[in-house]
Amino acid sequence: MSIARAESLNRIGDNNRGKYVEARNRSLSEWLAAVRAGQAQLPRFQRFEAWSYSQVQSLLESVLNDLPIGAMFVLEVEGNPPFHPRPINSAPGGGRVSELLLDGQQRITALWKSLQGGYPERDFFVSFNEKTDYEGIAVHSVKVSHKDGKKYPLWLNEPEKLLDRGYIPVRLLEPGEEANNAALQWIKEACREDQENVFSILMRVNEWRARFSSFNIPFLSLPKSTSPAQVLEVFTRINTGSTPLSIFDIITADIEQAVGESLHDLLENLNGRVPGLARYGDVQDIVLRTAALMQDKTPDRPSILNLDWEQVVRSWSQLVAGSEKAVEFLEAEKVLDGSRLPIFTALPALIALWSHGAVLSPDRLGETRTLLRKFMWRAFFTERYESSAHTAVIQDVRELTKAIRDGATDASPPIFTYTLPTTEDLLEAGWPKKKDRLARAILLVSLQGGATDLADGGPITVLNVNQREYHHIFPAGYLRNIQSEAPANLALNCALITWKTNRTIQNKEPLAYMRDRAEANSLGDDETVFRLKSHAIPEEPLRRNDYPEFIRSRATEVALAIEALTSGRPWSP
C-alpha cells in the first residue's frame, strides 16, 4: 500500500477509532489457499484485471528477491457478504466468503494466474542466466500463440529445451504438495533422468518455491461490523490515492449499495445484446450519459452522480433496446465507428431517443427515423454542440422526446434552427483523420453510396471499415510535382479505400489511375465511374486532372447531400 493510501486511511481512522485492525500478516501460500477455497473474493464493484505483462513480471521478481509489494486491504465477512462477491480472475467460484479484497486485486490476480499458468498469451519463467537491474533473480516472459492445438514457439512444450535456455516455469513455484510433485516430474524430464543434475536443479527450484510460499504480505482489514457506506468511503479513498477512480467505478459501487445490482453484470448483458455499441466509444461512458438523458438530466458528472439508480435498473431493458435501434440506425446511415464519428454528444442522445421506439407503430417509426436523421446530421454539420454541449443536448432531447414519445407535431428543438456550413466552410475543412467535426461529417457523406473500393470493388461495411485508409484522391506528391498551391489535406480530397489500393495509387495522377483500373477490371470504364460515384467523387474534373475544379465540384455535391440529410431525407450520390 502506498504512503498516500496509508495517510488516507489514517485520516479516516481519526474519525473511526477502533474500526481497523492494522499490521496483520499473511504468507503468500495462505493468500493463495484463501483464493483457491473461494474464501477471499472481490466485491463486484471492483474494477476488472488491468495489469500489463511487464507489471506481472516485475511483481514476480519482487517476490523472488524478497522485496515488498505493498499491503492489501480487506473487509471481513460473516454470513452473507454486504456486496455481491466475484472470485479472482480464473480462480474457482463458490466457497464461503470470509473476506472481500478492497485493495490488492491486481497483485493477487497476477500471483494467482502466473502460478497457475493462467495467461493464455504469455508464459513466465525464472531465469538462471539473466539478472535484474539490481542484480537480483530475473523473470523472463515469452509471448505465446496457439494453432491447431499446438503451443508456439514449440520449444515452450519441451522441458529440456527450456532448461537449455536457463528457464524454469514460474508455475512450478506454486506452494503445495501437488505442485511439488509436478516440479519434480518436470525437472526429471528436463534433465533426462541425470540424477546429479536433477538434484542440483531441484535444490534451486525448492529454494525459489520456499520464497514464494513464505513470502509475507501485510494487510489491513475492516471488521465485519463496518457499514456498507463506510466500506464505500474507504474504497473510494484508497483507490483515489494513486490511480483515480473513474465516475463509472464510483457509480458501480453506489448502485451495488442502493439496489443490489452489479453495473458490471448489466453492462455484460448490454455488450452481449448490442456488441456493435463498443465500436462507437467507451460503453461505460455511453451508458451513463444515456441514463442521465433518459432521466431528463444533463449528461455531465454532477447529474450522473445523482441519478436515481433504481430507475436506471428498471429502465435497463429500454436502454438496451434503444442501443440496438441506435446502432442499427447508425450503420444504415453509414456511421460505422467512433473513429469517424464527428461528435460524440449525439450518440447518447440517439440511444435515449430510440429507447422510445419499441412502442411505435410502423408509420410512427418511419416518422421517427426521418426526425432522427435530421437531428443526427444537424449535430454533425452545425456548431450546436461545439460549446455548452451538455445543456444544449438535454434541450434538444426534451423537444424530440415530445415528438417521438408523445406524438407532438410542433416539436422544434433549437438544433433545427442552427446555420448549416457554407460552401466556403466545406472548401476549408481539413483532413478527416483528425478530430475535426466538419471534416469527419464530409467524409461520412462520401460513404452514403457504399464507398466502393476503387480497385477491388468491395463496398464499405462495419467489417472492413478499419481496414480502409485515408487516401488523397489527388495525391499530395502529385500536387507537389505540378507545383500546385492548393492544399492536399482537405476533407473534399479524401476517400476511404483499402490499404492495398492506397499503396497501388501512390503518387499517380487520378486520370492515369482511372485508366489503370479500367484496363485491370473486365467491366471497363463504366465500372470505374460507378466506383468513383459511390464516394461522391465528381468524374469530369478528375478526368481533366483539374484539382481546383474538382474540389469546388465535390463541395457542391456535398452541399446537396447536407441539404437532404439535415432535412431528414435519405441521400446517395
Side-chain angles (χ1 to χ4, degrees):
M1 182 175 294
S2 68
I3 293 174
R5 293 184 183 189
E7 289 176 347
S8 181
L9 289 177
N10 285 337
R11 287 194 295 272
I12 298 171
D14 287 342
N15 300 320
N16 298 275
R17 288 299 174 195
K19 293 286 184 183
Y20 303 99
V21 179
E22 299 186 15
R24 297 175 62 184
N25 293 282
R26 185 181 292 165
S27 69
L28 177 54
S29 63
E30 291 173 320
W31 279 104
L32 295 175
V35 170
R36 183 180 293 105
Q39 296 170 349
Q41 296 194 28
L42 300 164
R44 269 196 308 201
F45 60 71
Q46 271 269 35
R47 287 180 267 202
F48 288 102
E49 181 184 7
W51 267 19
S52 66
Y53 294 128
S54 63
Q55 287 175 297
V56 176
Q57 180 177 325
S58 178
L59 177 71
L60 293 170
E61 287 178 345
S62 293
V63 174
L64 275 171
N65 294 287
D66 202 27
L67 300 176
I69 63 170
M72 308 293 182
F73 193 59
V74 303
L75 168 67
E76 296 176 355
V77 172
E78 184 176 67
N80 292 326
F83 303 99
H84 291 302
R86 61 179 171 88
I88 296 293
N89 189 353
S90 81
R96 187 179 182 83
V97 179
S98 60
E99 59 191 23
L100 294 175
L101 189 61
L102 300 178
D103 188 43
Q105 174 196 179
Q106 304 300 333
R107 286 165 287 172
I108 288 296
T109 300
L111 290 168
W112 170 264
K113 289 183 68 174
S114 57
L115 289 168
Q116 297 291 319
Y119 290 99
E121 298 178 352
R122 189 73 53 159
D123 275 355
F124 294 91
F125 303 93
V126 185
S127 175
F128 283 110
N129 304 323
E130 302 170 38
K131 292 289 184 182
T132 65
D133 293 340
Y134 49 87
E135 293 301 310
I137 302 169
V139 171
H140 184 86
S141 70
V142 177
K143 186 176 180 180
V144 175
S145 62
H146 300 268
K147 185 178 180 181
D148 300 328
K150 294 182 180 180
K151 187 177 183 179
Y152 292 86
L154 289 173
W155 52 264
L156 289 172
N157 304 291
E158 302 182 44
E160 184 180 351
K161 291 186 177 179
L162 282 170
L163 192 59
D164 287 343
R165 285 174 164 80
Y167 294 156
I168 298 292
V170 165
R171 59 183 169 78
L172 300 183
L173 308 186
E174 182 187 9
E177 188 61 31
E178 184 177 342
N180 183 52
N181 294 335
L184 179 58
Q185 184 60 39
W186 187 93
I187 293 168
K188 286 181 177 179
E189 188 175 345
C191 296
R192 296 182 179 179
E193 301 293 339
D194 179 342
Q195 293 301 315
E196 184 175 343
N197 201 20
V198 167
F199 180 76
S200 174
I201 300 298
L202 183 59
M203 291 291 289
R204 183 75 66 88
V205 171
N206 281 344
E207 178 189 345
W208 293 337
R209 293 186 74 246
R211 293 190 186 193
F212 267 82
S213 179
S214 62
F215 184 80
N216 180 60
I217 303 178
F219 68 101
L220 302 177
S221 65
L222 285 170
K224 53 184 177 290
S225 58
T226 308
S227 71
Q230 287 175 316
V231 173
L232 291 175
E233 173 69 11
V234 173
F235 174 76
T236 301
R237 292 201 187 190
I238 62 178
N239 278 280
T240 53
S242 56
T243 304
L245 281 176
S246 71
I247 187 171
F248 177 84
D249 296 313
I250 297 170
I251 285 170
T252 301
D254 285 345
I255 289 182
E256 186 100 9
Q257 165 69 7
V259 297
E261 287 281 350
S262 167
L263 192 51
H264 287 299
D265 287 351
L266 292 174
L267 274 182
E268 187 176 344
N269 166 264
L270 174 61
N271 286 325
R273 286 276 303 276
V274 197
L277 185 59
R279 293 198 309 272
Y280 296 95
D282 182 352
V283 176
Q284 298 174 356
D285 190 23
I286 294 170
V287 163
L288 295 178
R289 293 190 192 213
T290 302
L293 291 170
M294 290 176 67
Q295 293 189 21
D296 195 33
K297 298 178 184 293
T298 54
D300 54 15
R301 184 183 178 95
S303 295
I304 290 171
L305 287 172
N306 288 286
L307 287 175
D308 180 340
W309 302 122
E310 292 185 355
Q311 185 177 337
V312 170
V313 174
R314 285 196 306 271
S315 61
W316 189 257
S317 61
Q318 188 180 351
L319 188 151
V320 172
S323 299
E324 286 181 309
K325 290 184 177 297
V327 169
E328 176 188 330
F329 173 74
L330 289 164
E331 290 177 1
E333 297 292 313
K334 293 296 185 290
V335 185
L336 302 178
D337 63 3
S339 297
R340 278 150 281 272
L341 184 67
I343 192 161
F344 179 79
T345 305
L347 180 58
L350 284 170
I351 297 173
L353 292 166
W354 271 115
S355 71
H356 303 294
V359 297
L360 299 179
S361 66
D363 288 339
R364 287 280 306 285
L365 201 59
E367 294 172 358
T368 296
R369 185 174 299 277
T370 297
L371 188 66
L372 293 187
R373 180 183 293 118
K374 183 176 181 179
F375 161 72
M376 183 185 76
W377 286 100
R378 282 183 170 269
F380 294 167
F381 276 113
T382 70
E383 297 179 349
R384 171 65 169 162
Y385 300 139
E386 291 287 354
S387 61
S388 303
H390 297 317
T391 302
V393 75
I394 189 61
Q395 293 172 347
D396 293 332
V397 167
R398 283 170 180 161
E399 288 297 311
L400 290 165
T401 298
K402 292 178 185 177
I404 296 170
R405 185 189 62 195
D406 305 331
T409 57
D410 60 346
S412 181
I415 194 171
F416 286 1
T417 66
Y418 269 63
T419 304
L420 296 172
T422 65
T423 301
E424 288 302 313
D425 293 330
L426 301 178
L427 290 170
E428 295 174 0
W431 197 240
K433 191 172 184 179
K434 298 178 180 179
K435 292 183 178 180
D436 181 281
R437 175 188 53 78
L438 183 56
R440 287 186 174 188
I442 291 171
L443 178 70
L444 290 183
V445 166
S446 76
L447 306 185
Q448 293 296 295
T452 302
D453 188 68
L454 302 182
D456 67 27
I460 194 164
T461 67
V462 295
L463 299 177
N464 65 27
V465 64
N466 284 328
Q467 299 164 14
R468 295 283 184 106
E469 293 185 348
Y470 295 81
H471 158 66
H472 292 84
I473 301 168
F474 276 77
Y478 169 71
L479 293 175
R480 284 195 300 269
N481 290 338
I482 64 172
Q483 299 180 336
S484 171
E485 295 182 359
N489 288 339
L490 298 176
L492 293 169
N493 190 34
C494 182
L496 276 183
I497 59 178
T498 65
W499 69 268
K500 190 173 291 186
T501 301
N502 202 11
R503 302 300 186 276
T504 304
I505 292 176
Q506 296 180 340
N507 289 335
K508 293 181 181 179
E509 65 180 43
L511 179 60
Y513 183 72
M514 288 172 62
R515 287 170 179 160
D516 289 348
R517 299 283 55 76
E519 293 171 1
N521 71 71
S522 59
L523 300 179
D525 194 59
D526 288 346
E527 174 64 17
T528 302
V529 171
F530 169 78
R531 294 176 187 179
L532 292 172
K533 187 177 179 181
S534 73
H535 289 266
I537 295 176
E539 175 192 354
E540 288 306 317
L542 202 66
R543 288 187 182 278
R544 295 194 300 269
N545 288 327
D546 187 339
Y547 182 57
E549 178 59 26
F550 168 79
I551 293 298
R552 285 192 295 271
S553 296
R554 207 175 191 213
T556 300
E557 183 82 355
V558 170
L560 291 173
I562 294 173
E563 182 183 353
L565 293 168
T566 58
S567 297
R569 303 192 305 273
W571 179 88
S572 63

